[in-house]
Coordinates of all heavy atoms in Angstrom, one line a residue:
Chain L
D33 N 44.6 27.0 130.2 CA 43.7 25.9 130.5 C 44.1 24.6 129.9 O 43.3 23.8 129.3 CB 42.3 26.2 130.1 CG 41.8 27.5 130.8 OD1 41.9 27.6 132.0 OD2 41.2 28.4 130.0
D35 N 44.5 21.0 130.0 CA 44.0 20.1 130.9 C 44.8 18.8 130.9 O 45.5 18.5 130.0 CB 42.5 19.8 130.7 CG 42.2 19.2 129.3 OD1 42.6 18.0 129.2 OD2 41.7 19.9 128.4
D37 N 43.8 15.8 130.5 CA 43.4 14.9 129.5 C 44.3 15.1 128.2 O 44.6 14.2 127.5 CB 41.9 15.1 129.1 CG 41.0 14.3 130.0 OD1 40.7 14.8 131.1 OD2 40.6 13.2 129.6
R43 N 43.0 7.1 127.7 CA 43.2 5.8 127.1 C 44.6 5.2 127.3 O 44.8 4.0 127.0 CB 42.9 5.8 125.6 CG 43.7 6.8 124.8 CD 43.2 6.9 123.3 NE 44.0 7.9 122.6 CZ 43.8 9.2 122.6 NH1 42.9 9.7 123.3 NH2 44.6 10.0 121.9
R46 N 46.0 3.0 131.8 CA 46.0 1.7 132.5 C 47.2 0.9 132.2 O 47.2 -0.1 131.5 CB 44.7 0.9 132.1 CG 43.4 1.5 132.6 CD 43.4 1.7 134.1 NE 42.3 2.5 134.5 CZ 42.3 3.9 134.7 NH1 43.4 4.5 134.5 NH2 41.2 4.5 135.1
K48 N 51.6 0.7 134.0 CA 52.6 1.3 134.9 C 53.8 1.7 134.2 O 54.8 2.1 134.8 CB 53.0 0.3 136.0 CG 51.8 0.0 137.0 CD 52.4 -0.8 138.2 CE 51.5 -1.8 138.8 NZ 52.1 -2.7 139.7
R50 N 56.0 4.0 132.4 CA 56.1 5.4 132.3 C 56.5 5.9 130.9 O 56.1 7.0 130.5 CB 57.1 6.0 133.3 CG 56.6 5.8 134.7 CD 57.7 5.9 135.7 NE 57.0 5.6 137.0 CZ 56.9 6.5 138.0 NH1 57.4 7.7 137.9 NH2 56.1 6.2 139.0
D60 N 46.9 14.6 122.0 CA 45.7 15.2 121.5 C 45.8 16.7 121.2 O 44.8 17.3 120.7 CB 44.5 14.9 122.4 CG 44.1 13.4 122.3 OD1 44.6 12.7 121.4 OD2 43.4 12.9 123.2
N79 N 46.1 28.4 134.6 CA 45.3 27.2 134.9 C 45.9 25.9 134.2 O 45.2 25.1 133.8 CB 43.9 27.4 134.5 CG 42.9 26.5 135.2 OD1 43.2 26.1 136.3 ND2 41.8 26.2 134.6
G83 N 41.6 19.9 135.5 CA 40.9 18.6 135.2 C 41.3 17.6 136.2 O 41.3 17.9 137.4
S84 N 41.5 16.4 135.8 CA 41.6 15.2 136.6 C 42.8 15.2 137.5 O 43.8 16.0 137.3 CB 41.6 13.9 135.8 OG 42.8 13.3 135.7
S85 N 42.8 14.3 138.5 CA 43.9 14.3 139.5 C 45.0 13.4 139.1 O 45.9 13.1 139.8 CB 43.3 13.8 140.9 OG 43.0 12.4 140.7
E87 N 48.1 11.6 138.3 CA 49.5 11.9 138.5 C 50.3 11.5 137.3 O 51.5 11.9 137.2 CB 50.0 11.1 139.8 CG 51.2 11.8 140.4 CD 51.3 11.3 141.9 OE1 50.6 11.9 142.7 OE2 52.1 10.4 142.1
F106 N 48.4 27.5 138.3 CA 48.2 26.0 138.0 C 47.0 25.5 138.7 O 46.6 26.1 139.7 CB 49.4 25.3 138.6 CG 50.7 25.5 137.9 CD1 51.5 26.6 138.3 CD2 51.1 24.7 136.9 CE1 52.7 26.9 137.7 CE2 52.4 25.0 136.2 CZ 53.1 26.1 136.6
R108 N 45.4 23.2 141.3 CA 46.1 22.9 142.5 C 46.5 21.5 142.7 O 47.6 21.2 143.2 CB 45.2 23.4 143.8 CG 43.9 22.8 143.8 CD 43.2 23.0 145.1 NE 43.9 22.1 146.1 CZ 43.6 20.8 146.2 NH1 42.7 20.2 145.4 NH2 44.2 20.0 147.1
R112 N 50.5 20.2 143.3 CA 50.9 19.3 144.3 C 51.6 18.0 143.7 O 52.6 17.6 144.1 CB 49.8 18.9 145.2 CG 49.3 19.9 146.2 CD 48.1 19.4 147.0 NE 48.6 18.5 148.1 CZ 48.2 18.7 149.4 NH1 47.4 19.6 149.7 NH2 48.7 17.8 150.3
N113 N 50.9 17.5 142.7 CA 51.4 16.3 142.1 C 52.8 16.5 141.5 O 53.7 15.6 141.6 CB 50.5 15.8 141.0 CG 49.2 15.2 141.5 OD1 49.1 14.9 142.7 ND2 48.2 14.9 140.6
N116 N 55.3 16.6 144.1 CA 55.5 15.2 144.7 C 56.2 14.2 143.8 O 56.8 13.3 144.3 CB 54.1 14.7 145.0 CG 53.4 15.3 146.2 OD1 54.1 16.0 146.9 ND2 52.1 15.2 146.3
E123 N 55.0 29.8 139.5 CA 54.0 30.7 139.1 C 54.7 32.0 138.7 O 55.4 32.6 139.5 CB 53.0 31.0 140.2 CG 52.1 29.9 140.5 CD 51.2 30.2 141.7 OE1 51.6 30.9 142.6 OE2 50.1 29.7 141.7
R159 N 59.2 23.8 152.3 CA 58.9 22.4 152.2 C 58.8 21.8 150.8 O 59.4 20.8 150.5 CB 57.5 22.1 152.9 CG 57.1 20.7 152.7 CD 56.3 20.0 153.8 NE 55.2 20.7 154.3 CZ 54.3 20.2 155.2 NH1 54.4 18.9 155.6 NH2 53.3 20.9 155.7
W173 N 59.8 11.6 152.1 CA 59.1 11.0 153.2 C 60.0 9.9 153.8 O 60.0 9.7 155.0 CB 57.8 10.4 152.6 CG 56.7 10.3 153.6 CD1 55.9 11.4 153.9 CD2 56.4 9.3 154.5 NE1 55.0 11.0 154.9 CE2 55.3 9.7 155.3 CE3 56.9 8.0 154.7 CZ2 54.7 8.9 156.2 CZ3 56.3 7.2 155.6 CH2 55.2 7.6 156.4
R174 N 60.7 9.1 153.0 CA 61.6 8.1 153.5 C 62.7 8.7 154.4 O 63.1 8.1 155.4 CB 62.2 7.3 152.4 CG 61.3 6.2 151.8 CD 61.6 5.9 150.4 NE 63.0 5.4 150.3 CZ 63.4 4.3 149.8 NH1 62.5 3.4 149.4 NH2 64.6 3.9 149.7
Chain T
D47 N 48.9 21.0 158.8 CA 48.9 19.5 158.7 C 47.7 19.0 159.4 O 47.5 19.4 160.5 CB 50.2 18.9 159.3 CG 51.3 19.1 158.3 OD1 51.4 18.4 157.4 OD2 52.2 20.0 158.6
E65 N 51.8 1.9 144.1 CA 53.2 1.9 143.7 C 54.1 2.9 144.6 O 55.1 2.5 145.1 CB 53.3 2.4 142.2 CG 54.7 2.0 141.6 CD 54.7 2.5 140.1 OE1 54.9 3.7 139.9 OE2 54.5 1.6 139.3
R69 N 57.1 2.0 147.4 CA 58.4 2.6 147.4 C 58.7 3.3 148.8 O 59.8 3.5 149.1 CB 58.5 3.7 146.3 CG 58.7 3.0 144.9 CD 58.5 3.9 143.8 NE 59.2 5.2 143.9 CZ 58.6 6.3 143.5 NH1 57.4 6.4 143.1 NH2 59.3 7.4 143.7
E71 N 58.1 1.9 151.5 CA 58.6 0.7 152.3 C 57.9 0.7 153.7 O 58.6 0.5 154.7 CB 60.1 0.7 152.4 CG 60.8 0.5 151.1 CD 62.3 0.6 151.1 OE1 62.8 0.9 152.2 OE2 62.9 0.4 150.1
E102 N 45.6 -6.7 141.5 CA 46.6 -6.4 142.4 C 46.1 -5.5 143.5 O 46.4 -5.7 144.7 CB 47.8 -5.7 141.7 CG 49.0 -5.5 142.4 CD 50.1 -4.8 141.6 OE1 49.9 -4.6 140.4 OE2 51.1 -4.4 142.3
D141 N 40.9 11.7 143.5 CA 40.1 12.0 142.3 C 39.7 13.4 142.4 O 39.4 13.9 143.5 CB 38.9 11.1 142.3 CG 38.1 11.3 141.0 OD1 37.2 12.2 140.9 OD2 38.4 10.5 140.0
T155 N 38.4 17.4 149.4 CA 39.2 17.8 148.2 C 39.9 16.6 147.6 O 40.1 15.6 148.2 CB 40.1 19.0 148.6 OG1 40.6 19.6 147.4 CG2 41.3 18.5 149.5
G156 N 40.4 16.9 146.4 CA 41.1 15.8 145.7 C 42.6 16.0 145.8 O 43.1 17.1 145.9
G158 N 46.5 13.8 144.4 CA 47.1 12.8 143.5 C 47.6 11.6 144.3 O 47.4 11.5 145.5
A159 N 48.2 10.7 143.5 CA 48.5 9.3 144.1 C 49.6 9.4 145.1 O 49.5 8.7 146.2 CB 49.0 8.4 142.9
T160 N 50.6 10.2 144.9 CA 51.7 10.2 145.9 C 51.3 10.8 147.2 O 51.6 10.4 148.3 CB 53.0 10.9 145.3 OG1 53.3 10.2 144.1 CG2 54.2 10.8 146.3
D161 N 50.5 11.9 147.1 CA 49.9 12.5 148.3 C 49.1 11.5 149.1 O 49.2 11.4 150.3 CB 49.0 13.7 148.0 CG 49.7 15.0 148.0 OD1 50.7 15.2 148.8 OD2 49.3 16.0 147.3
A167 N 50.3 6.2 154.7 CA 51.4 5.9 155.6 C 51.3 6.7 156.9 O 51.8 6.2 157.9 CB 52.8 6.2 154.9
T171 N 47.7 14.9 156.0 CA 48.4 15.6 154.9 C 48.4 17.1 155.2 O 47.8 17.5 156.2 CB 47.6 15.3 153.6 OG1 48.4 15.7 152.5 CG2 46.2 16.0 153.5
W172 N 49.0 17.8 154.3 CA 49.0 19.3 154.5 C 48.0 19.9 153.6 O 47.6 19.4 152.5 CB 50.4 19.8 154.2 CG 50.9 19.7 152.8 CD1 51.6 18.7 152.2 CD2 50.7 20.7 151.7 NE1 51.9 19.0 150.9 CE2 51.3 20.2 150.5 CE3 50.1 22.0 151.6 CZ2 51.4 20.9 149.3 CZ3 50.1 22.7 150.4 CH2 50.8 22.1 149.3
M206 N 36.9 28.7 134.0 CA 37.6 27.5 134.4 C 38.7 27.7 135.4 O 39.3 26.7 135.9 CB 38.1 26.8 133.1 CG 37.0 25.9 132.5 SD 37.5 25.3 130.9 CE 38.9 24.3 131.3
Y211 N 42.6 27.7 143.6 CA 43.2 27.7 145.0 C 42.2 28.1 146.1 O 42.5 28.1 147.3 CB 44.4 28.6 145.2 CG 45.5 28.4 144.1 CD1 46.1 29.5 143.6 CD2 45.9 27.1 143.8 CE1 47.1 29.3 142.6 CE2 46.9 27.0 142.8 CZ 47.5 28.1 142.3 OH 48.5 27.9 141.3
K242 N 39.2 24.3 145.2 CA 39.7 23.2 146.1 C 38.5 22.4 146.5 O 38.5 21.2 146.6 CB 40.4 23.8 147.3 CG 41.4 23.0 147.9 CD 42.2 23.9 148.9 CE 43.3 24.6 148.2 NZ 44.3 25.2 149.2
R293 N 34.7 23.4 126.4 CA 35.0 24.1 127.7 C 33.7 24.0 128.6 O 32.6 24.2 128.2 CB 35.3 25.5 127.5 CG 36.7 25.8 126.7 CD 37.0 27.2 126.6 NE 37.1 27.9 127.9 CZ 38.3 28.1 128.5 NH1 39.4 27.7 127.9 NH2 38.4 28.7 129.7
R397 N 32.7 17.2 132.4 CA 33.8 17.6 131.6 C 33.5 17.3 130.1 O 33.1 16.2 129.8 CB 35.1 16.9 132.0 CG 35.6 17.4 133.3 CD 37.1 17.1 133.6 NE 37.4 17.6 134.8 CZ 37.9 17.0 135.8 NH1 38.3 15.7 135.7 NH2 38.1 17.6 137.0
N401 N 38.4 15.6 123.0 CA 38.8 14.2 122.9 C 38.6 13.3 124.1 O 38.9 12.2 124.1 CB 40.3 14.1 122.5 CG 40.5 14.7 121.1 OD1 39.6 14.8 120.3 ND2 41.8 15.1 120.8
R402 N 38.1 13.9 125.2 CA 38.0 13.2 126.5 C 37.1 11.9 126.3 O 37.4 10.8 126.7 CB 37.5 14.1 127.6 CG 37.3 13.3 128.9 CD 36.8 14.3 130.0 NE 36.3 13.6 131.2 CZ 36.9 13.3 132.3 NH1 38.2 13.5 132.3 NH2 36.3 12.7 133.3

Side-chain angles (χ1 to χ4, degrees):
Chain L
D33 302 311
D35 64 71
D37 275 82
R43 59 188 178 278
R46 293 304 170 264
K48 289 193 214 169
R50 292 162 184 245
D60 288 347
N79 203 26
S84 106
S85 69
E87 202 161 280
F106 292 87
R108 54 165 289 281
R112 285 180 78 128
N113 285 350
N116 287 344
E123 288 177 327
R159 171 150 44 175
W173 211 84
R174 281 156 55 120
Chain T
D47 282 284
E65 198 180 77
R69 282 165 52 221
E71 295 176 359
E102 193 180 348
D141 186 273
T155 192
T160 304
D161 265 332
T171 193
W172 66 271
M206 274 170 65
Y211 309 138
K242 207 168 275 193
R293 292 181 63 96
R397 286 196 181 128
N401 296 337
R402 176 178 165 93

